[in-house]
mmCIF file of all heavy atoms in Angstrom:
data_model
loop_
_atom_site.group_PDB
_atom_site.id
_atom_site.type_symbol
_atom_site.label_atom_id
_atom_site.label_comp_id
_atom_site.label_asym_id
_atom_site.label_seq_id
_atom_site.Cartn_x
_atom_site.Cartn_y
_atom_site.Cartn_z
ATOM 1 N N PRO A 39 -9.313 154.862 -49.330
ATOM 2 C CA PRO A 39 -10.807 154.611 -49.536
ATOM 3 C C PRO A 39 -11.387 153.407 -48.816
ATOM 4 O O PRO A 39 -10.659 152.366 -48.725
ATOM 5 C CB PRO A 39 -10.800 154.446 -51.092
ATOM 6 C CG PRO A 39 -9.554 154.918 -51.588
ATOM 7 C CD PRO A 39 -8.577 154.798 -50.479
ATOM 8 N N ASN A 40 -12.456 153.580 -48.216
ATOM 9 C CA ASN A 40 -13.235 152.447 -47.594
ATOM 10 C C ASN A 40 -14.159 151.795 -48.730
ATOM 11 O O ASN A 40 -15.320 151.916 -48.652
ATOM 12 C CB ASN A 40 -14.028 152.955 -46.404
ATOM 13 C CG ASN A 40 -14.629 151.723 -45.637
ATOM 14 O OD1 ASN A 40 -14.145 150.607 -45.882
ATOM 15 N ND2 ASN A 40 -15.527 152.044 -44.846
ATOM 16 N N GLY A 41 -13.492 151.248 -49.675
ATOM 17 C CA GLY A 41 -14.133 150.645 -50.831
ATOM 18 C C GLY A 41 -15.116 149.495 -50.407
ATOM 19 O O GLY A 41 -14.869 148.845 -49.362
ATOM 20 N N GLY A 42 -15.978 149.162 -51.348
ATOM 21 C CA GLY A 42 -16.902 148.000 -51.042
ATOM 22 C C GLY A 42 -17.176 147.221 -52.272
ATOM 23 O O GLY A 42 -16.325 147.177 -53.202
ATOM 24 N N ALA A 43 -18.292 146.621 -52.374
ATOM 25 C CA ALA A 43 -18.631 145.702 -53.458
ATOM 26 C C ALA A 43 -18.595 146.388 -54.874
ATOM 27 O O ALA A 43 -18.170 145.932 -55.859
ATOM 28 C CB ALA A 43 -19.959 145.098 -53.285
ATOM 29 N N ASP A 44 -19.151 147.682 -54.902
ATOM 30 C CA ASP A 44 -19.212 148.407 -56.147
ATOM 31 C C ASP A 44 -17.857 148.767 -56.638
ATOM 32 O O ASP A 44 -17.472 148.771 -57.903
ATOM 33 C CB ASP A 44 -20.052 149.579 -56.060
ATOM 34 C CG ASP A 44 -21.587 149.251 -56.090
ATOM 35 O OD1 ASP A 44 -21.850 148.152 -56.582
ATOM 36 O OD2 ASP A 44 -22.411 150.090 -55.605
ATOM 37 N N ASP A 45 -16.948 149.102 -55.700
ATOM 38 C CA ASP A 45 -15.597 149.388 -56.068
ATOM 39 C C ASP A 45 -14.909 148.155 -56.724
ATOM 40 O O ASP A 45 -14.165 148.167 -57.684
ATOM 41 C CB ASP A 45 -14.734 149.937 -54.852
ATOM 42 C CG ASP A 45 -15.433 151.130 -54.337
ATOM 43 O OD1 ASP A 45 -16.309 150.973 -53.553
ATOM 44 O OD2 ASP A 45 -14.948 152.209 -54.726
ATOM 45 N N ALA A 46 -15.184 146.949 -56.058
ATOM 46 C CA ALA A 46 -14.579 145.750 -56.438
ATOM 47 C C ALA A 46 -15.085 145.412 -57.872
ATOM 48 O O ALA A 46 -14.387 144.922 -58.717
ATOM 49 C CB ALA A 46 -14.831 144.600 -55.549
ATOM 50 N N ARG A 47 -16.397 145.559 -58.053
ATOM 51 C CA ARG A 47 -17.005 145.288 -59.337
ATOM 52 C C ARG A 47 -16.369 146.189 -60.480
ATOM 53 O O ARG A 47 -16.120 145.733 -61.567
ATOM 54 C CB ARG A 47 -18.510 145.487 -59.321
ATOM 55 C CG ARG A 47 -19.219 144.280 -58.578
ATOM 56 C CD ARG A 47 -20.682 144.280 -58.806
ATOM 57 N NE ARG A 47 -21.306 145.086 -57.839
ATOM 58 C CZ ARG A 47 -21.897 144.567 -56.712
ATOM 59 N NH1 ARG A 47 -21.782 143.333 -56.423
ATOM 60 N NH2 ARG A 47 -22.460 145.372 -55.864
ATOM 61 N N ALA A 48 -16.139 147.446 -60.186
ATOM 62 C CA ALA A 48 -15.511 148.292 -61.118
ATOM 63 C C ALA A 48 -14.105 147.841 -61.506
ATOM 64 O O ALA A 48 -13.688 147.770 -62.658
ATOM 65 C CB ALA A 48 -15.473 149.742 -60.616
ATOM 66 N N ALA A 49 -13.351 147.298 -60.429
ATOM 67 C CA ALA A 49 -12.045 146.850 -60.610
ATOM 68 C C ALA A 49 -12.034 145.563 -61.470
ATOM 69 O O ALA A 49 -11.284 145.330 -62.413
ATOM 70 C CB ALA A 49 -11.408 146.645 -59.367
ATOM 71 N N ILE A 50 -13.058 144.680 -61.202
ATOM 72 C CA ILE A 50 -13.167 143.422 -61.951
ATOM 73 C C ILE A 50 -13.453 143.690 -63.464
ATOM 74 O O ILE A 50 -12.938 143.137 -64.346
ATOM 75 C CB ILE A 50 -14.205 142.545 -61.331
ATOM 76 C CG1 ILE A 50 -13.761 141.993 -59.965
ATOM 77 C CG2 ILE A 50 -14.549 141.345 -62.262
ATOM 78 C CD1 ILE A 50 -14.943 141.486 -59.095
ATOM 79 N N ALA A 51 -14.390 144.751 -63.611
ATOM 80 C CA ALA A 51 -14.775 145.054 -65.009
ATOM 81 C C ALA A 51 -13.422 145.593 -65.758
ATOM 82 O O ALA A 51 -13.283 145.212 -66.992
ATOM 83 C CB ALA A 51 -15.845 146.139 -64.969
ATOM 84 N N ALA A 52 -12.699 146.360 -65.126
ATOM 85 C CA ALA A 52 -11.474 146.905 -65.684
ATOM 86 C C ALA A 52 -10.511 145.714 -66.014
ATOM 87 O O ALA A 52 -9.885 145.738 -67.124
ATOM 88 C CB ALA A 52 -10.791 147.872 -64.739
ATOM 89 N N ALA A 53 -10.361 144.808 -65.135
ATOM 90 C CA ALA A 53 -9.486 143.704 -65.329
ATOM 91 C C ALA A 53 -9.975 142.849 -66.445
ATOM 92 O O ALA A 53 -9.221 142.301 -67.242
ATOM 93 C CB ALA A 53 -9.423 142.897 -64.061
ATOM 94 N N ALA A 54 -11.322 142.695 -66.612
ATOM 95 C CA ALA A 54 -11.886 141.921 -67.671
ATOM 96 C C ALA A 54 -11.623 142.609 -69.077
ATOM 97 O O ALA A 54 -11.316 142.009 -70.058
ATOM 98 C CB ALA A 54 -13.390 141.638 -67.458
ATOM 99 N N ALA A 55 -11.759 143.940 -69.037
ATOM 100 C CA ALA A 55 -11.673 144.696 -70.249
ATOM 101 C C ALA A 55 -10.189 144.725 -70.689
ATOM 102 O O ALA A 55 -9.925 144.600 -71.982
ATOM 103 C CB ALA A 55 -12.152 146.105 -70.061
ATOM 104 N N ALA A 56 -9.287 144.753 -69.710
ATOM 105 C CA ALA A 56 -7.865 144.766 -70.149
ATOM 106 C C ALA A 56 -7.349 143.313 -70.529
ATOM 107 O O ALA A 56 -6.196 143.251 -71.082
ATOM 108 C CB ALA A 56 -7.033 145.258 -68.846
ATOM 109 N N LEU A 57 -8.039 142.276 -70.218
ATOM 110 C CA LEU A 57 -7.490 140.891 -70.376
ATOM 111 C C LEU A 57 -7.121 140.618 -71.848
ATOM 112 O O LEU A 57 -5.981 140.159 -72.014
ATOM 113 C CB LEU A 57 -8.509 139.945 -69.766
ATOM 114 C CG LEU A 57 -8.068 138.471 -70.020
ATOM 115 C CD1 LEU A 57 -6.852 138.200 -69.080
ATOM 116 C CD2 LEU A 57 -9.263 137.594 -69.645
ATOM 117 N N PRO A 58 -8.003 140.814 -72.838
ATOM 118 C CA PRO A 58 -7.680 140.277 -74.187
ATOM 119 C C PRO A 58 -6.307 140.816 -74.690
ATOM 120 O O PRO A 58 -5.463 140.008 -75.206
ATOM 121 C CB PRO A 58 -8.825 140.735 -75.075
ATOM 122 C CG PRO A 58 -9.975 140.884 -74.046
ATOM 123 C CD PRO A 58 -9.381 141.335 -72.818
ATOM 124 N N ALA A 59 -6.045 142.090 -74.524
ATOM 125 C CA ALA A 59 -4.863 142.669 -75.127
ATOM 126 C C ALA A 59 -3.690 142.291 -74.379
ATOM 127 O O ALA A 59 -2.583 142.009 -74.954
ATOM 128 C CB ALA A 59 -4.984 144.293 -75.082
ATOM 129 N N TRP A 60 -3.716 142.108 -73.080
ATOM 130 C CA TRP A 60 -2.602 141.681 -72.227
ATOM 131 C C TRP A 60 -2.273 140.150 -72.507
ATOM 132 O O TRP A 60 -1.149 139.793 -72.751
ATOM 133 C CB TRP A 60 -2.931 141.836 -70.758
ATOM 134 C CG TRP A 60 -1.800 141.552 -69.863
ATOM 135 C CD1 TRP A 60 -1.835 140.453 -69.051
ATOM 136 C CD2 TRP A 60 -0.524 142.146 -69.703
ATOM 137 N NE1 TRP A 60 -0.583 140.396 -68.302
ATOM 138 C CE2 TRP A 60 0.185 141.439 -68.793
ATOM 139 C CE3 TRP A 60 0.039 143.336 -70.253
ATOM 140 C CZ2 TRP A 60 1.541 141.779 -68.358
ATOM 141 C CZ3 TRP A 60 1.338 143.636 -69.914
ATOM 142 C CH2 TRP A 60 2.017 142.949 -68.950
ATOM 143 N N ARG A 61 -3.389 139.330 -72.574
ATOM 144 C CA ARG A 61 -3.222 137.999 -72.828
ATOM 145 C C ARG A 61 -2.586 137.637 -74.227
ATOM 146 O O ARG A 61 -1.793 136.714 -74.362
ATOM 147 C CB ARG A 61 -4.595 137.319 -72.735
ATOM 148 C CG ARG A 61 -4.632 135.794 -72.917
ATOM 149 C CD ARG A 61 -6.186 135.415 -72.909
ATOM 150 N NE ARG A 61 -6.922 136.179 -73.897
ATOM 151 C CZ ARG A 61 -8.270 136.251 -73.867
ATOM 152 N NH1 ARG A 61 -9.000 135.652 -72.898
ATOM 153 N NH2 ARG A 61 -8.981 136.853 -74.802
ATOM 154 N N ASP A 62 -2.890 138.553 -75.168
ATOM 155 C CA ASP A 62 -2.495 138.317 -76.526
ATOM 156 C C ASP A 62 -1.066 138.892 -76.835
ATOM 157 O O ASP A 62 -0.511 138.709 -77.876
ATOM 158 C CB ASP A 62 -3.476 138.934 -77.541
ATOM 159 C CG ASP A 62 -4.821 138.117 -77.585
ATOM 160 O OD1 ASP A 62 -4.763 137.062 -77.019
ATOM 161 O OD2 ASP A 62 -5.715 138.590 -78.177
ATOM 162 N N ARG A 63 -0.474 139.588 -75.887
ATOM 163 C CA ARG A 63 0.881 140.054 -76.020
ATOM 164 C C ARG A 63 1.847 138.716 -76.057
ATOM 165 O O ARG A 63 1.503 137.729 -75.461
ATOM 166 C CB ARG A 63 1.360 140.834 -74.778
ATOM 167 C CG ARG A 63 0.902 142.296 -74.779
ATOM 168 C CD ARG A 63 1.571 142.934 -73.629
ATOM 169 N NE ARG A 63 1.151 144.322 -73.643
ATOM 170 C CZ ARG A 63 1.880 145.382 -73.210
ATOM 171 N NH1 ARG A 63 3.048 145.127 -72.636
ATOM 172 N NH2 ARG A 63 1.459 146.555 -73.202
ATOM 173 N N THR A 64 2.921 138.941 -76.706
ATOM 174 C CA THR A 64 4.013 137.912 -76.681
ATOM 175 C C THR A 64 4.493 137.836 -75.252
ATOM 176 O O THR A 64 4.435 138.903 -74.466
ATOM 177 C CB THR A 64 5.150 138.111 -77.687
ATOM 178 O OG1 THR A 64 5.740 139.286 -77.231
ATOM 179 C CG2 THR A 64 4.649 138.295 -79.067
ATOM 180 N N ALA A 65 5.117 136.779 -74.894
ATOM 181 C CA ALA A 65 5.683 136.612 -73.510
ATOM 182 C C ALA A 65 6.779 137.729 -73.328
ATOM 183 O O ALA A 65 6.736 138.320 -72.177
ATOM 184 C CB ALA A 65 6.406 135.229 -73.427
ATOM 185 N N ALA A 66 7.548 138.004 -74.285
ATOM 186 C CA ALA A 66 8.540 139.005 -74.156
ATOM 187 C C ALA A 66 7.954 140.429 -73.924
ATOM 188 O O ALA A 66 8.442 141.202 -73.114
ATOM 189 C CB ALA A 66 9.519 139.052 -75.344
ATOM 190 N N GLU A 67 6.804 140.656 -74.622
ATOM 191 C CA GLU A 67 6.136 141.892 -74.350
ATOM 192 C C GLU A 67 5.475 142.049 -72.957
ATOM 193 O O GLU A 67 5.336 143.146 -72.415
ATOM 194 C CB GLU A 67 4.992 142.144 -75.397
ATOM 195 C CG GLU A 67 5.510 142.454 -76.895
ATOM 196 C CD GLU A 67 4.443 142.332 -77.927
ATOM 197 O OE1 GLU A 67 3.324 141.750 -77.589
ATOM 198 O OE2 GLU A 67 4.733 142.772 -79.047
ATOM 199 N N ARG A 68 5.137 140.886 -72.348
ATOM 200 C CA ARG A 68 4.606 141.018 -70.927
ATOM 201 C C ARG A 68 5.824 141.102 -70.014
ATOM 202 O O ARG A 68 5.683 141.693 -69.062
ATOM 203 C CB ARG A 68 3.798 139.731 -70.630
ATOM 204 C CG ARG A 68 2.491 139.588 -71.396
ATOM 205 C CD ARG A 68 1.625 138.566 -70.771
ATOM 206 N NE ARG A 68 2.101 137.292 -70.720
ATOM 207 C CZ ARG A 68 2.032 136.390 -71.605
ATOM 208 N NH1 ARG A 68 1.420 136.676 -72.783
ATOM 209 N NH2 ARG A 68 2.623 135.188 -71.503
#
Side-chain angles (χ1 to χ4, degrees):
N40 186 14
D44 282 341
D45 302 85
R47 282 193 274 267
I50 293 164
L57 179 68
W60 182 251
R61 182 183 55 199
D62 291 346
R63 283 190 177 205
T64 65
E67 287 168 346
R68 290 197 302 272

